[in-house]
Amino acid sequence: MLDTTKGTFDPEQASAVTLERRRLGLTALDREKSFGGYTLYARQTGGGVVDMVDLEGRIAHQWQMPVRPGRDAVLLPNGNLGYNGSHATSAALYPAWDLWHGGDFYEATPEGEIVWRHEDIYHHHDAQWLPNGDLLYTVAAELPAHLAKRICGGDPRKDGADGIFQSDIVRQVNRKGDVVWEWCIWDHIDPADLPVHPIFDRRHWPMINGVSETESGLILMSLRTTSGVIAVEKASGRIVWHAGADIVAQQHTPIMMEGGTVLVFDNGNLRAGSSNPFSRALEFDPATMQVTWSYTDPNAPSFFSPFMGSAERLPNGNTLICESAFGRLFEVTPAGETVWEFVIPDFAEYPAPVNQFIKGSHNGCFRAHRYSAEQVTWL
C-alpha cells in the first residue's frame, strides 16, 4: 500500500482496490485561499466512527457512535454531534431499502455522551436538525394503489410481486418525538407527471433524498429517481417552484443561498445531452431557472459520484464538495481552483445485507461539512 507519510510504495503489498493504491489523506492545500477550519464526515463503512479532520488532514476529534451511519453527521450550534444512524430493525420495504435507510437519530456531546435519541424505522436518506431543536426528515410510505398504477418509466421487471410501491412523506418532529408537521408528495404531484428514469427501481417514487428548510419558510426537496428539486411553502403545503430534469440530473442536497439561489450536488448518472456521466456542483436561480454557477472537473468524467454527494458554500465564497462514492472531499474557489483536497484513507466493506448490493472495500461518506475554529471552541 502507499504510505502517505513516507511517500513509498510496496508493489507486493498493493491493495486490490484501485482507489486505495492512489494518494490518500491530504493531497492539496493552499492555506491563503482555503476557508480553513475543520471538516466533519461519517464513513459509511466505519461502523459508527465520525471523524473531524483539520486543514492538514489530521484527526482533530473522533466519535464512536452506537450504530453505523444511516447517512449524515453534523455539528449542532451547542457543539454536540447530530447523528443519523442506521436503525438495526428498520422496516424491510424492498430489497435495496438497507442501502439508504437511517432512522436511529442521536445527539451526542463531544465526549460521546448520548443526550437525545429519536427512532423512526421508515426514515431514509436525509435529515436536517432545525435551529429550534426539531428534526426534519424523509420517510417512506405506501403509495395508494390507484396512484401506484400511474407510476411510469423505470424498470418494470423490478416491480415487487406484492404490487406495493413506496412514496415519500417529509416529517418534522420535536424534542419529544411528536410530529409537528407533515407533507405527503402524492397529495400534490401525480406520479404520471414525473416518470422514473430508466436505470432506477420503480418501487420507490420519487425518492426524496435531500431536504432542507430555508429562512423564508420553504422546504427544499430533492427528487432522486425522477430528477428534480421542488420548493414547498411550509405554511400552505403548496409547491411554489419545480426545477426539473432540464436543470438537474439525479441530484442530492439542495441548499438555498443567501441571495435566493440554490446549490445542489448534481450527480449526473443520466445527463441529458451527454453520453458520458459526470458530476458537478451546480447553483441555479429558481426565479429564472438559469444556472448561475457550476463546478466540473477540467476532465469532466474525472469527477463523478453515482450516488450520494454534497456541496456546501463556505463563508469566504468557496464551496466544499463531497465526491461521496470515492471519499474525496475538496474545496474550490468561485473560479474553480482546488485549494484543499482530502481523500478518506480508511477502507472497509459494507456490512450485511448492504454488501449484497455494494461489494468490495469502500471509503465513502454521504456528506461532508466544514466548521470554523470559532464553531469548535471545545477542542
Side-chain angles (χ1 to χ4, degrees):
M1 292 178 60
L2 178 67
D3 183 335
T4 55
T5 302
K6 300 179 181 179
T8 60
F9 179 73
D10 184 351
E12 294 183 359
Q13 298 182 12
S15 169
V17 179
T18 300
L19 183 62
E20 202 170 4
R21 298 195 303 270
R22 298 177 179 173
R23 291 183 61 196
L24 303 175
L26 183 70
T27 60
L29 173 60
D30 185 326
R31 295 177 184 278
E32 293 185 359
K33 295 182 179 180
S34 171
F35 171 67
Y38 300 89
T39 303
L40 182 81
Y41 59 90
R43 289 179 262 138
Q44 285 289 294
T45 58
V49 172
V50 179
D51 293 308
M52 186 166 65
V53 298
D54 63 17
L55 205 60
E56 287 74 31
R58 299 171 302 205
I59 293 178
H61 194 74
Q62 194 173 74
W63 289 260
Q64 176 62 65
M65 299 304 291
V67 296
R68 66 175 295 267
R71 282 296 183 253
D72 202 14
V74 299
L75 278 188
L76 303 176
N78 63 2
N80 288 347
L81 183 78
Y83 183 70
N84 174 358
S86 179
H87 203 287
T89 56
S90 181
L93 301 180
Y94 47 82
W97 173 252
D98 285 303
L99 283 171
W100 37 69
H101 79 70
D104 202 357
F105 296 97
Y106 295 87
E107 181 180 341
T109 67
E111 295 74 31
E113 179 188 359
I114 305 300
V115 295
W116 186 74
R117 185 185 183 190
H118 174 70
E119 300 174 76
D120 192 328
I121 64 171
Y122 295 99
H123 165 260
H124 67 91
H125 284 94
D126 205 10
Q128 183 182 14
W129 300 71
L130 302 179
N132 67 352
D134 288 2
L135 191 62
L136 181 74
Y137 59 88
T138 53
V139 297
E142 184 177 340
L143 189 64
H146 71 285
L147 292 174
K149 294 178 181 179
R150 297 184 61 77
I151 293 178
C152 55
D155 187 350
R157 295 172 298 177
K158 295 180 180 179
D159 291 355
D162 55 10
I164 295 176
F165 291 78
Q166 301 296 326
S167 189
D168 299 295
I169 293 174
V170 176
R171 177 174 292 165
Q172 180 178 337
V173 298
N174 61 21
R175 296 290 287 188
K176 297 180 181 180
D178 301 326
V179 177
V180 296
W181 185 80
E182 222 174 44
W183 188 86
C184 302
I185 192 166
W186 64 79
D187 290 337
H188 303 272
I189 300 178
D190 185 336
D193 293 336
L194 288 181
V196 178
H197 288 299
I199 60 174
F200 290 108
D201 193 326
R202 306 184 336 154
R203 280 174 290 185
H204 196 153
W205 172 93
M207 191 177 285
I208 298 177
N209 66 2
V211 61
S212 64
E213 182 172 4
T214 74
E215 292 183 356
S216 62
L218 297 178
I219 306 296
L220 304 187
M221 305 177 190
S222 167
L223 316 181
R224 165 71 165 173
T225 65
T226 62
S227 289
V229 176
I230 58 175
V232 173
E233 187 177 64
K234 193 174 185 180
S236 67
R238 70 183 182 93
I239 298 173
V240 297
W241 55 257
H242 175 201
D246 56 331
I247 304 293
V248 291
Q250 303 82 49
Q251 71 300 310
H252 281 77
T253 62
I255 304 171
M256 183 164 282
M257 304 292 98
E258 289 185 359
T261 56
V262 175
L263 181 66
V264 300
F265 185 93
D266 198 43
N267 294 76
N269 302 60
L270 289 173
R271 191 183 305 285
S274 175
S275 60
N276 298 316
F278 65 91
S279 295
R280 59 182 178 171
L282 176 70
E283 188 175 354
F284 67 91
D285 184 347
T288 63
M289 292 301 167
Q290 298 297 310
V291 172
T292 60
W293 179 84
S294 69
Y295 170 81
T296 56
D297 193 275
N299 179 4
S302 297
F303 167 35
F304 177 57
S305 182
F307 49 86
M308 304 187 292
S310 67
E312 176 180 289
R313 184 61 42 78
L314 302 177
N316 69 343
N318 289 353
T319 302
L320 178 70
I321 301 172
C322 175
E323 188 182 6
S324 293
F326 306 109
R328 177 175 169 247
L329 321 178
F330 62 105
E331 178 186 350
V332 299
T333 66
E337 180 184 359
T338 299
V339 296
W340 182 83
E341 182 183 62
F342 176 83
V343 181
I344 297 172
D346 305 285
F347 289 76
E349 294 185 357
Y350 279 90
V354 180
N355 58 5
Q356 299 176 43
F357 303 96
I358 305 181
K359 300 182 182 300
S361 189
H362 296 266
N363 66 337
C365 64
F366 182 60
R367 299 175 74 168
H369 303 276
R370 179 69 62 81
Y371 300 96
S372 67
E374 291 74 24
Q375 292 173 289
V376 196
T377 56
W378 42 265
L379 266 183

